[in-house]
Amino acid sequence: MKKILFGSFLAASILTSSALSKEFSLDKAHTNVAFKIKHLQISNVNGNFKEYEAVIDFDSAKFEFNKLQANIKVASINTENKARDAHLQQDDFFKAKNHPNITFTMSKYEKISDEKGKMHGVLNIAGVSKDIVLETEIGGVIKTDSGKEKAGFTLQGQIKRSDFNFAPDTTSLTLGDEVQISIEAEINEK
């Protein structure tokens, strides 16, 4: 009898937990996938990507991510300079012909508080995959007039282009090794 009760309780807990977890889509009008890198050691080049998609499983009751998989189209890079954007797609940088996408797959979400956490995952750039950690800040969750939920969050981190063998023939005097990643996202419950 105890085994049956425990089994029923466990099943109910799993069902309740998965019922609170919801799939969300990006609100692209309120999302920005950006980066910043040092140029000539004196200034920064800022840029973003205009085309991306993500599968997001977010538990709005616990303020936790269960899944996040993102796909960014390299051809959509925007540094406000068309010639530079075209050059960045060449084989000495993103190798866009053979690697048209940058991908990120979350492996673990480490909750610190309702607002703060660390998102661990694998980032793939130009065919090279590395584990990274992104500082996560959840802005909040609201219910819309339709009864669906909307949430906002920020992901920030730093990677080294040398770890990804990115532009290996470009010295760090010309182009910094550290790349700042900053993603502002608003998501809508599906």
Side-chain angles (χ1 to χ4, degrees), residues 56-97:
I56 303 165
D57 184 335
F58 178 67
D59 188 327
S60 57
K62 293 182 180 177
F63 275 51
E64 290 182 2
F65 291 90
N66 295 314
K67 178 181 183 179
L68 191 146
Q69 289 179 308
N71 189 49
I72 301 164
K73 299 216 176 290
V74 173
S76 73
I77 195 166
N78 172 38
T79 63
E80 301 298 334
N81 182 308
K82 288 184 180 181
R84 178 172 53 212
D85 295 346
H87 183 206
L88 287 171
Q89 294 178 55
Q90 301 304 311
D91 284 347
D92 51 340
F93 287 95
F94 279 105
K95 305 175 180 125
K97 186 176 180 182

Short mmCIF file of all heavy atoms in Angstrom, two decimals, residues 56-97:
data_model
loop_
_atom_site.label_atom_id
_atom_site.label_comp_id
_atom_site.label_asym_id
_atom_site.label_seq_id
_atom_site.Cartn_x
_atom_site.Cartn_y
_atom_site.Cartn_z
N ILE A 56 12.57 27.15 -26.23
CA ILE A 56 12.75 27.49 -24.82
C ILE A 56 11.68 26.83 -23.99
O ILE A 56 10.49 27.01 -24.24
CB ILE A 56 12.69 29.02 -24.62
CG1 ILE A 56 13.76 29.70 -25.49
CG2 ILE A 56 12.88 29.38 -23.14
CD1 ILE A 56 13.57 31.19 -25.65
N ASP A 57 12.10 26.06 -23.00
CA ASP A 57 11.21 25.44 -22.03
C ASP A 57 11.51 26.11 -20.70
O ASP A 57 12.60 25.96 -20.14
CB ASP A 57 11.48 23.93 -21.96
CG ASP A 57 10.50 23.20 -21.04
OD1 ASP A 57 9.94 23.82 -20.13
OD2 ASP A 57 10.31 21.99 -21.24
N PHE A 58 10.54 26.90 -20.21
CA PHE A 58 10.74 27.73 -19.03
C PHE A 58 9.65 27.45 -18.00
O PHE A 58 8.47 27.41 -18.34
CB PHE A 58 10.71 29.20 -19.44
CG PHE A 58 10.87 30.18 -18.31
CD1 PHE A 58 12.06 30.27 -17.61
CD2 PHE A 58 9.82 31.02 -17.97
CE1 PHE A 58 12.21 31.18 -16.57
CE2 PHE A 58 9.96 31.93 -16.93
CZ PHE A 58 11.16 32.01 -16.24
N ASP A 59 10.05 27.21 -16.77
CA ASP A 59 9.11 26.98 -15.67
C ASP A 59 8.88 28.32 -14.98
O ASP A 59 9.71 28.79 -14.21
CB ASP A 59 9.69 25.96 -14.69
CG ASP A 59 8.69 25.53 -13.63
OD1 ASP A 59 7.86 26.37 -13.22
OD2 ASP A 59 8.75 24.36 -13.20
N SER A 60 7.75 28.95 -15.28
CA SER A 60 7.47 30.30 -14.77
C SER A 60 7.15 30.30 -13.28
O SER A 60 7.25 31.34 -12.62
CB SER A 60 6.31 30.93 -15.55
OG SER A 60 5.17 30.10 -15.48
N ALA A 61 6.78 29.17 -12.71
CA ALA A 61 6.51 29.10 -11.27
C ALA A 61 7.81 29.04 -10.48
O ALA A 61 7.92 29.62 -9.40
CB ALA A 61 5.64 27.89 -10.95
N LYS A 62 8.80 28.35 -11.03
CA LYS A 62 10.08 28.20 -10.34
C LYS A 62 11.15 29.17 -10.84
O LYS A 62 12.23 29.24 -10.27
CB LYS A 62 10.61 26.77 -10.54
CG LYS A 62 9.78 25.70 -9.87
CD LYS A 62 10.43 24.35 -10.10
CE LYS A 62 9.63 23.24 -9.44
NZ LYS A 62 10.22 21.91 -9.72
N PHE A 63 10.83 29.91 -11.91
CA PHE A 63 11.80 30.80 -12.55
C PHE A 63 13.07 30.03 -12.92
O PHE A 63 14.18 30.42 -12.61
CB PHE A 63 12.14 31.98 -11.63
CG PHE A 63 11.17 33.13 -11.72
CD1 PHE A 63 9.81 32.93 -11.60
CD2 PHE A 63 11.63 34.41 -11.95
CE1 PHE A 63 8.91 33.97 -11.70
CE2 PHE A 63 10.74 35.48 -12.04
CZ PHE A 63 9.37 35.26 -11.93
N GLU A 64 12.87 28.93 -13.65
CA GLU A 64 13.98 28.08 -14.07
C GLU A 64 13.82 27.69 -15.53
O GLU A 64 12.71 27.46 -16.00
CB GLU A 64 14.03 26.80 -13.24
CG GLU A 64 14.45 26.99 -11.81
CD GLU A 64 14.53 25.67 -11.05
OE1 GLU A 64 14.29 24.61 -11.65
OE2 GLU A 64 14.82 25.71 -9.85
N PHE A 65 14.95 27.58 -16.20
CA PHE A 65 14.96 27.08 -17.58
C PHE A 65 15.19 25.57 -17.54
O PHE A 65 16.09 25.09 -16.88
CB PHE A 65 16.10 27.74 -18.37
CG PHE A 65 15.87 29.19 -18.64
CD1 PHE A 65 16.31 30.16 -17.74
CD2 PHE A 65 15.22 29.60 -19.79
CE1 PHE A 65 16.10 31.49 -17.98
CE2 PHE A 65 15.00 30.95 -20.03
CZ PHE A 65 15.45 31.90 -19.13
N ASN A 66 14.37 24.84 -18.28
CA ASN A 66 14.55 23.40 -18.42
C ASN A 66 15.27 23.07 -19.73
O ASN A 66 15.93 22.04 -19.83
CB ASN A 66 13.20 22.69 -18.39
CG ASN A 66 12.52 22.85 -17.05
OD1 ASN A 66 13.15 22.67 -16.01
ND2 ASN A 66 11.25 23.22 -17.07
N LYS A 67 15.11 23.97 -20.71
CA LYS A 67 15.73 23.73 -22.02
C LYS A 67 15.85 25.06 -22.75
O LYS A 67 14.96 25.90 -22.68
CB LYS A 67 14.84 22.78 -22.82
CG LYS A 67 15.31 22.47 -24.22
CD LYS A 67 14.32 21.53 -24.92
CE LYS A 67 14.79 21.14 -26.29
NZ LYS A 67 13.84 20.22 -26.95
N LEU A 68 16.98 25.22 -23.42
CA LEU A 68 17.14 26.35 -24.33
C LEU A 68 18.09 25.91 -25.43
O LEU A 68 19.22 25.52 -25.16
CB LEU A 68 17.68 27.59 -23.63
CG LEU A 68 17.61 28.87 -24.48
CD1 LEU A 68 17.34 30.08 -23.61
CD2 LEU A 68 18.83 29.08 -25.33
N GLN A 69 17.59 25.91 -26.65
CA GLN A 69 18.40 25.60 -27.83
C GLN A 69 18.23 26.76 -28.80
O GLN A 69 17.10 27.11 -29.13
CB GLN A 69 17.93 24.31 -28.50
CG GLN A 69 18.26 23.06 -27.70
CD GLN A 69 17.76 21.81 -28.41
OE1 GLN A 69 16.60 21.73 -28.78
NE2 GLN A 69 18.64 20.85 -28.59
N ALA A 70 19.36 27.34 -29.21
CA ALA A 70 19.30 28.50 -30.10
C ALA A 70 20.10 28.25 -31.37
O ALA A 70 21.11 27.54 -31.35
CB ALA A 70 19.83 29.73 -29.38
N ASN A 71 19.63 28.84 -32.44
CA ASN A 71 20.26 28.74 -33.75
C ASN A 71 20.32 30.16 -34.34
O ASN A 71 19.28 30.80 -34.49
CB ASN A 71 19.43 27.81 -34.63
CG ASN A 71 20.12 27.49 -35.92
OD1 ASN A 71 21.28 27.13 -35.94
ND2 ASN A 71 19.40 27.63 -37.03
N ILE A 72 21.53 30.63 -34.63
CA ILE A 72 21.73 31.99 -35.14
C ILE A 72 22.31 31.90 -36.54
O ILE A 72 23.29 31.19 -36.77
CB ILE A 72 22.69 32.76 -34.22
CG1 ILE A 72 22.13 32.81 -32.80
CG2 ILE A 72 22.97 34.15 -34.75
CD1 ILE A 72 23.16 33.20 -31.75
N LYS A 73 21.73 32.63 -37.48
CA LYS A 73 22.21 32.62 -38.86
C LYS A 73 23.38 33.61 -39.02
O LYS A 73 23.21 34.81 -38.81
CB LYS A 73 21.08 32.97 -39.82
CG LYS A 73 19.93 31.98 -39.76
CD LYS A 73 19.33 31.76 -41.11
CE LYS A 73 18.25 30.70 -41.08
NZ LYS A 73 18.71 29.38 -40.88
N VAL A 74 24.54 33.09 -39.37
CA VAL A 74 25.74 33.90 -39.52
C VAL A 74 25.53 34.99 -40.57
O VAL A 74 25.98 36.13 -40.40
CB VAL A 74 26.96 33.02 -39.88
CG1 VAL A 74 28.17 33.88 -40.21
CG2 VAL A 74 27.29 32.07 -38.74
N ALA A 75 24.82 34.68 -41.65
CA ALA A 75 24.61 35.65 -42.74
C ALA A 75 23.84 36.88 -42.29
O ALA A 75 23.83 37.90 -42.98
CB ALA A 75 23.89 34.98 -43.90
N SER A 76 23.22 36.82 -41.11
CA SER A 76 22.44 37.97 -40.62
C SER A 76 23.25 38.91 -39.74
O SER A 76 22.70 39.82 -39.13
CB SER A 76 21.21 37.47 -39.85
OG SER A 76 21.58 36.93 -38.59
N ILE A 77 24.59 38.72 -39.70
CA ILE A 77 25.43 39.58 -38.86
C ILE A 77 25.30 41.04 -39.30
O ILE A 77 25.17 41.35 -40.48
CB ILE A 77 26.91 39.12 -38.90
CG1 ILE A 77 27.69 39.75 -37.75
CG2 ILE A 77 27.54 39.39 -40.25
CD1 ILE A 77 29.04 39.12 -37.52
N ASN A 78 25.29 41.93 -38.31
CA ASN A 78 25.12 43.35 -38.58
C ASN A 78 26.05 44.15 -37.67
O ASN A 78 25.85 44.20 -36.46
CB ASN A 78 23.67 43.76 -38.33
CG ASN A 78 23.49 45.26 -38.42
OD1 ASN A 78 24.10 45.91 -39.25
ND2 ASN A 78 22.66 45.81 -37.55
N THR A 79 27.09 44.74 -38.28
CA THR A 79 28.00 45.62 -37.53
C THR A 79 27.89 47.06 -38.04
O THR A 79 28.77 47.88 -37.79
CB THR A 79 29.46 45.14 -37.65
OG1 THR A 79 29.87 45.23 -39.02
CG2 THR A 79 29.63 43.74 -37.11
N GLU A 80 26.83 47.35 -38.78
CA GLU A 80 26.59 48.67 -39.39
C GLU A 80 27.64 49.01 -40.45
O GLU A 80 27.90 50.18 -40.72
CB GLU A 80 26.55 49.77 -38.31
CG GLU A 80 25.48 49.59 -37.25
CD GLU A 80 24.06 49.61 -37.80
OE1 GLU A 80 23.83 50.22 -38.87
OE2 GLU A 80 23.17 49.01 -37.16
N ASN A 81 28.24 47.95 -41.03
CA ASN A 81 29.22 48.15 -42.10
C ASN A 81 29.10 46.93 -43.03
O ASN A 81 29.57 45.85 -42.69
CB ASN A 81 30.63 48.26 -41.50
CG ASN A 81 31.69 48.51 -42.55
OD1 ASN A 81 31.79 47.80 -43.53
ND2 ASN A 81 32.50 49.54 -42.32
N LYS A 82 28.49 47.14 -44.19
CA LYS A 82 28.19 46.01 -45.08
C LYS A 82 29.44 45.29 -45.57
O LYS A 82 29.45 44.07 -45.69
CB LYS A 82 27.34 46.48 -46.26
CG LYS A 82 25.91 46.81 -45.85
CD LYS A 82 25.05 47.17 -47.03
CE LYS A 82 23.64 47.48 -46.53
NZ LYS A 82 22.73 47.81 -47.61
N ALA A 83 30.49 46.03 -45.86
CA ALA A 83 31.73 45.39 -46.33
C ALA A 83 32.32 44.51 -45.23
O ALA A 83 32.76 43.39 -45.49
CB ALA A 83 32.73 46.45 -46.77
N ARG A 84 32.33 45.01 -44.00
CA ARG A 84 32.85 44.21 -42.88
C ARG A 84 31.97 43.00 -42.64
O ARG A 84 32.47 41.89 -42.41
CB ARG A 84 32.95 45.08 -41.63
CG ARG A 84 33.43 44.30 -40.41
CD ARG A 84 33.72 45.18 -39.22
NE ARG A 84 32.61 46.05 -38.89
CZ ARG A 84 32.74 47.28 -38.37
NH1 ARG A 84 33.93 47.78 -38.13
NH2 ARG A 84 31.67 48.00 -38.10
N ASP A 85 30.66 43.17 -42.70
CA ASP A 85 29.73 42.05 -42.49
C ASP A 85 29.97 40.94 -43.53
O ASP A 85 29.96 39.76 -43.18
CB ASP A 85 28.28 42.52 -42.55
CG ASP A 85 27.93 43.47 -41.41
OD1 ASP A 85 28.70 43.55 -40.43
OD2 ASP A 85 26.88 44.14 -41.50
N ALA A 86 30.22 41.33 -44.77
CA ALA A 86 30.50 40.35 -45.83
C ALA A 86 31.84 39.66 -45.56
O ALA A 86 31.96 38.43 -45.73
CB ALA A 86 30.51 41.03 -47.19
N HIS A 87 32.84 40.43 -45.12
CA HIS A 87 34.15 39.85 -44.84
C HIS A 87 34.08 38.87 -43.67
O HIS A 87 34.71 37.81 -43.69
CB HIS A 87 35.18 40.95 -44.55
CG HIS A 87 36.56 40.43 -44.34
ND1 HIS A 87 37.49 41.09 -43.59
CD2 HIS A 87 37.18 39.28 -44.75
CE1 HIS A 87 38.61 40.39 -43.55
NE2 HIS A 87 38.45 39.29 -44.25
N LEU A 88 33.29 39.17 -42.65
CA LEU A 88 33.17 38.30 -41.48
C LEU A 88 32.60 36.93 -41.84
O LEU A 88 32.80 35.97 -41.09
CB LEU A 88 32.31 38.96 -40.41
CG LEU A 88 32.98 40.12 -39.66
CD1 LEU A 88 31.98 40.85 -38.78
CD2 LEU A 88 34.16 39.63 -38.84
N GLN A 89 31.93 36.82 -42.96
CA GLN A 89 31.35 35.53 -43.36
C GLN A 89 32.36 34.65 -44.10
O GLN A 89 32.12 33.47 -44.30
CB GLN A 89 30.13 35.77 -44.23
CG GLN A 89 29.01 36.43 -43.43
CD GLN A 89 27.80 36.72 -44.26
OE1 GLN A 89 27.28 35.79 -44.89
NE2 GLN A 89 27.35 37.95 -44.29
N GLN A 90 33.52 35.21 -44.44
CA GLN A 90 34.52 34.47 -45.21
C GLN A 90 35.24 33.44 -44.34
O GLN A 90 35.07 33.39 -43.13
CB GLN A 90 35.53 35.45 -45.83
CG GLN A 90 34.88 36.48 -46.75
CD GLN A 90 34.08 35.84 -47.86
OE1 GLN A 90 34.55 34.94 -48.54
NE2 GLN A 90 32.84 36.30 -48.05
N ASP A 91 36.08 32.63 -45.01
CA ASP A 91 36.76 31.51 -44.33
C ASP A 91 37.76 31.93 -43.26
O ASP A 91 38.12 31.14 -42.40
CB ASP A 91 37.46 30.61 -45.36
CG ASP A 91 36.46 29.73 -46.08
OD1 ASP A 91 35.30 29.64 -45.63
OD2 ASP A 91 36.84 29.13 -47.10
N ASP A 92 38.24 33.18 -43.29
CA ASP A 92 39.17 33.61 -42.25
C ASP A 92 38.44 34.04 -40.97
O ASP A 92 39.08 34.32 -39.96
CB ASP A 92 40.12 34.71 -42.74
CG ASP A 92 39.41 35.87 -43.42
OD1 ASP A 92 38.26 35.71 -43.86
OD2 ASP A 92 40.01 36.95 -43.50
N PHE A 93 37.10 34.05 -41.01
CA PHE A 93 36.32 34.38 -39.82
C PHE A 93 35.28 33.29 -39.54
O PHE A 93 35.59 32.23 -39.04
CB PHE A 93 35.68 35.77 -39.95
CG PHE A 93 36.67 36.89 -39.82
CD1 PHE A 93 37.24 37.47 -40.94
CD2 PHE A 93 37.06 37.36 -38.57
CE1 PHE A 93 38.18 38.49 -40.82
CE2 PHE A 93 37.99 38.38 -38.43
CZ PHE A 93 38.56 38.94 -39.57
N PHE A 94 34.00 33.53 -39.90
CA PHE A 94 32.93 32.60 -39.53
C PHE A 94 32.82 31.36 -40.41
O PHE A 94 32.11 30.42 -40.06
CB PHE A 94 31.57 33.32 -39.54
CG PHE A 94 31.30 34.10 -38.28
CD1 PHE A 94 31.38 35.48 -38.28
CD2 PHE A 94 30.96 33.46 -37.10
CE1 PHE A 94 31.12 36.21 -37.13
CE2 PHE A 94 30.69 34.17 -35.95
CZ PHE A 94 30.78 35.56 -35.96
N LYS A 95 33.46 31.36 -41.59
CA LYS A 95 33.36 30.21 -42.50
C LYS A 95 31.89 29.88 -42.79
O LYS A 95 31.46 28.73 -42.73
CB LYS A 95 34.07 28.98 -41.91
CG LYS A 95 35.50 29.23 -41.53
CD LYS A 95 36.11 28.01 -40.85
CE LYS A 95 37.53 28.31 -40.49
NZ LYS A 95 37.84 28.11 -39.11
N ALA A 96 31.13 30.91 -43.11
CA ALA A 96 29.67 30.78 -43.24
C ALA A 96 29.23 29.81 -44.33
O ALA A 96 28.16 29.21 -44.22
CB ALA A 96 29.05 32.15 -43.48
N LYS A 97 30.05 29.63 -45.35
CA LYS A 97 29.66 28.71 -46.43
C LYS A 97 29.51 27.28 -45.90
O LYS A 97 28.56 26.59 -46.22
CB LYS A 97 30.70 28.76 -47.56
CG LYS A 97 30.31 27.95 -48.76
CD LYS A 97 31.33 28.12 -49.88
CE LYS A 97 30.94 27.30 -51.09
NZ LYS A 97 31.93 27.40 -52.16
#
